[in-house]
Amino acid sequence: MRIYAPGYYQALHQGMEVRALNLKVAEDRSAFDELLACADVLLTSQREAALTRLGLSNDALARRF
């Protein structure tokens, strides 16, 4: 969306911090875990099976955070 509709993307994300992380890379996963430790909500469009493979299922997150 950032590439195809930059004006809309800019307006939609105004005032937000946007970070792109590859959760299969250890450094990015550590950064994501730090963000989760301070988060109240995690919104994702990932399928449940993908989240489970990444250790981000509801149960796993409830145990860790």
Side-chain angles (χ1 to χ4, degrees), residues 16-23 26-43 56 61 64-65:
M16 293 184 198
E17 177 186 352
V18 177
R19 296 177 68 181
L21 300 171
N22 180 345
L23 300 181
E27 184 177 315
D28 284 1
R29 180 54 191 263
S30 292
F32 185 68
D33 288 343
E34 287 179 26
L35 292 169
L36 280 178
C38 301
D40 294 321
V41 176
L42 170 64
L43 295 177
L56 298 171
L61 290 175
R64 291 186 60 213
F65 301 102

Side-chain angles (χ1 to χ4, degrees), residues 5 13 20-21 23 25 28 31 36 39 43 46-47 49 51 53 58 60-62:
H13 293 87
L21 300 171
L23 300 181
V25 174
D28 284 1
L36 280 178
L43 295 177
Q46 296 295 314
R47 293 173 298 166
L51 292 172
R53 283 193 302 274
N58 287 335
L61 290 175

